[in-house]
Amino acid sequence: MMSYNPMRNLPADAGYKAGDVLVLCGELFGRGYANGIVEQARAKGMTIIGTTVGRRESDGTLRALNPEELAAAEALLGGTIINIPLEAGFDMEPAANGVTPLDQLKGAKPDEWAGIRFDWQAMEESRAAGTKRLKANLAAVSAELAKLVPAGANLLLVHTMAGGIPRARLFMPLLNRVFKGQGDKYLSSEDFWRSDLGKLCDWSFNEVTADSLAYLIDETAPLRDKVAAAGGKVTYAAYGYHGCEVQINGAYTWQSYTPYLQGWAKMRLEDHAASAWEKGIKATVYNCPEILTNSSALFLGVEISLYPLLAALTTEGGAIAAEVKEACKALLAEGATLEKMLQSANDYLASPLMKPFAGIDAWPHHSTKEQMEFMLSRSAELIAMNANPKEIVCSVLSGAVFRGVGRLMLDSSWDPQASVWWLNHDVIAKSLAKN
């Protein structure tokens, strides 16, 4: 049974210091949530160690990074990377008959999506093979970490694995219809989710987004024992999403992006953290606010919930509010104002049309045609208020969110208090004001 647990007060400053280690379990790409905690850890003098998902050859073989790729990845991270592929998932894993899930989709066309059927026995064999590979590579990474973590050091393992859309060509046109479709292009998320393709996505999202945390916890047991024996402590932090409180009509109110098909996997992620917690292992999922990143670009409309962060910053005070607002104002189109943006976002979030999607107990919700058209048109209107569609207010606000999230996660992980926290706009704004 889910227990809603919003973080209302700022945790005490973390006691991490030089010599302590932060490990990013999942490769860092571009700018996003993980950058926030890496920057906070670096400011504390912590050693940053990264990992990689590896790369696939043209024949499907998974390999480690080559020297050029490794150098680029380490430069982006600003730390050493353990070059053992931690790709999660199973879409390219052969079953006993040599057929991969992607092979089962060869020749399939997007307009035939509803009639596609899979060999689920072969799919299960592929899933088991992917799990076996990932767990073996996690054990190898754990063994390397045992050599790198100094005696007496504290260790924070940050799980960043997410996603899991199978890499078959027909998925993107279909998912574009699910997440961006209007009129004749609209595809009901519920209809898609109930199809064989939806079931495959469900399996894949669970494996990549959720179960990878359980495998990480299991395979680092020897590392935990070694660190603890030397006087250090080990904690785990993971990135979740389960809706977020933002200001709507002046009051902090839970809302979420719809349709968020990864939501079931995100709840499974919370379950894994809770199971670890019951065993005395300090693993915490931090449910973060919506931001706009390279990976979230598919979910057009998710950024509407970002605009009320401006109101939260005003409410919670601090010089950072003026700083963020000035950076946002510099990006506005002629005639646009932050007040107009906020009002437009608020009108959307407060609309009677959105009331059926306001229940956290029934989350995640499936889309309706009317809701999608309203969301996508409002998203377009708000983005049009920016002078340059490639340099938008949401980028500034996203950066503020992942900085706030990074501070909260690092500080909270020093003395963990729960297996799941919601980091809503109120505590994000308080964290930014403190900085």
Side-chain angles (χ1 to χ4, degrees):
M1 182 67 179
M2 184 210 70
S3 178
Y4 180 54
N5 188 34
M7 184 182 291
R8 297 299 186 197
N9 301 307
L10 296 178
D13 291 346
Y16 292 113
K17 60 190 183 306
D20 291 337
V21 179
L22 180 142
V23 180
L24 212 57
C25 304
E27 194 164 340
L28 191 68
F29 293 105
R31 298 288 287 175
Y33 291 114
N35 295 91
I37 197 166
V38 167
E39 290 168 6
Q40 291 292 327
R42 184 172 291 116
K44 291 277 188 182
M46 296 177 73
T47 300
I48 312 297
I49 299 175
T51 59
T52 178
V53 296
R55 300 292 183 270
R56 290 280 179 177
E57 297 285 14
S58 57
D59 64 358
T61 304
L62 181 64
R63 63 167 174 81
L65 301 180
N66 64 34
E68 293 77 18
E69 292 164 340
L70 180 61
E74 290 188 333
L76 180 64
L77 175 68
T80 300
I81 286 177
I82 297 175
N83 197 12
I84 297 170
L86 292 184
E87 179 184 280
F90 58 92
D91 59 349
M92 298 181 75
E93 294 294 331
N97 61 6
V99 175
T100 70
L102 297 190
D103 291 334
Q104 291 200 47
L105 282 165
K106 280 184 178 174
K109 298 177 181 177
D111 58 0
E112 301 170 345
W113 68 271
I116 292 171
R117 298 291 181 266
F118 292 123
D119 176 347
W120 288 106
Q121 175 60 38
M123 201 70 76
E124 179 55 53
E125 292 169 2
S126 292
R127 180 164 65 171
T131 299
K132 182 178 179 181
R133 168 183 51 75
L134 178 58
K135 292 185 77 170
N137 286 359
L138 281 167
V141 167
S142 179
E144 289 300 310
L145 285 171
K147 303 172 190 174
L148 297 173
V149 178
N154 299 300
L155 177 62
L156 173 58
L157 295 133
V158 182
H159 175 275
T160 67
M161 300 176 188
I165 296 172
R167 288 165 285 191
R169 288 182 179 177
L170 89 164
F171 273 103
M172 288 316 294
L174 286 173
L175 291 176
N176 271 318
R177 289 183 60 195
V178 171
F179 297 120
K180 298 179 183 178
Q182 301 181 68
D184 293 341
K185 295 293 185 181
Y186 169 75
L187 176 57
S188 160
S189 64
E190 186 170 15
D191 289 348
F192 173 80
W193 198 240
R194 288 182 173 177
S195 70
D196 267 28
L197 287 176
K199 182 178 177 182
L200 174 58
C201 282
D202 188 28
W203 281 28
S204 188
F205 294 163
N206 283 338
E207 189 72 17
V208 175
T209 296
D211 297 347
S212 55
L213 174 63
Y215 306 151
L216 172 66
I217 291 169
D218 288 346
E219 299 305 323
T220 50
L223 176 64
R224 279 198 309 276
D225 293 342
K226 181 177 180 182
V227 171
K233 58 183 176 183
V234 180
T235 53
Y236 298 80
Y239 292 89
Y241 176 74
H242 198 139
C244 166
E245 283 184 24
V246 305
Q247 279 200 30
I248 303 176
N249 290 339
Y252 288 110
T253 307
W254 183 91
Q255 55 74 54
S256 79
Y257 168 80
T258 298
Y260 191 71
L261 296 182
Q262 291 89 336
W264 287 274
K266 289 295 190 183
M267 289 193 292
R268 189 176 172 114
L269 178 72
E270 296 170 10
D271 291 341
H272 286 314
S275 295
W277 196 269
E278 290 170 0
K279 299 171 187 172
I281 300 166
K282 302 303 183 183
T284 301
V285 171
Y286 296 89
N287 288 326
C288 302
E290 301 85 350
I291 62 172
L292 195 63
T293 66
N294 292 339
S295 60
S296 68
L298 176 63
F299 310 110
L300 195 62
V302 69
E303 80 286 350
I304 298 175
S305 302
L306 252 175
Y307 298 101
L309 180 66
L310 290 163
L313 286 167
T314 300
T315 301
E316 308 307 333
I320 190 68
E323 182 182 320
V324 171
K325 286 180 179 179
E326 286 305 311
C328 290
K329 284 179 182 177
L331 302 177
L332 294 176
E334 186 176 351
T337 67
L338 294 183
E339 290 74 21
K340 288 179 182 178
M341 273 188 161
L342 265 173
Q343 189 61 54
S344 180
N346 184 80
D347 290 348
Y348 165 81
L349 292 165
S351 167
L353 185 61
M354 301 308 296
K355 293 300 181 187
F357 308 95
I360 190 171
D361 291 339
W363 187 86
H365 301 273
H366 280 296
S367 64
T368 67
K369 192 171 186 179
E370 296 74 19
Q371 169 257 331
M372 290 296 291
E373 289 177 350
F374 183 35
M375 178 180 71
L376 294 168
S377 62
R378 185 55 52 97
S379 173
E381 289 170 15
L382 283 160
I383 289 173
M385 293 184 186
N386 294 273
N388 182 346
K390 294 184 179 180
E391 294 181 27
I392 61 176
V393 164
C394 288
S395 297
V396 175
L397 298 176
S398 294
V401 167
F402 72 64
R403 286 194 303 275
V405 164
R407 174 73 177 268
L408 291 167
M409 286 179 67
L410 191 75
D411 286 344
S412 173
S413 68
W414 178 252
D415 183 22
Q417 298 295 313
S419 63
V420 183
W421 285 111
W422 270 256
L423 305 182
N424 297 320
H425 277 195
D426 57 347
V427 78
I428 296 290
K430 289 175 184 176
S431 177
L432 291 168
K434 181 179 178 179
N435 285 342

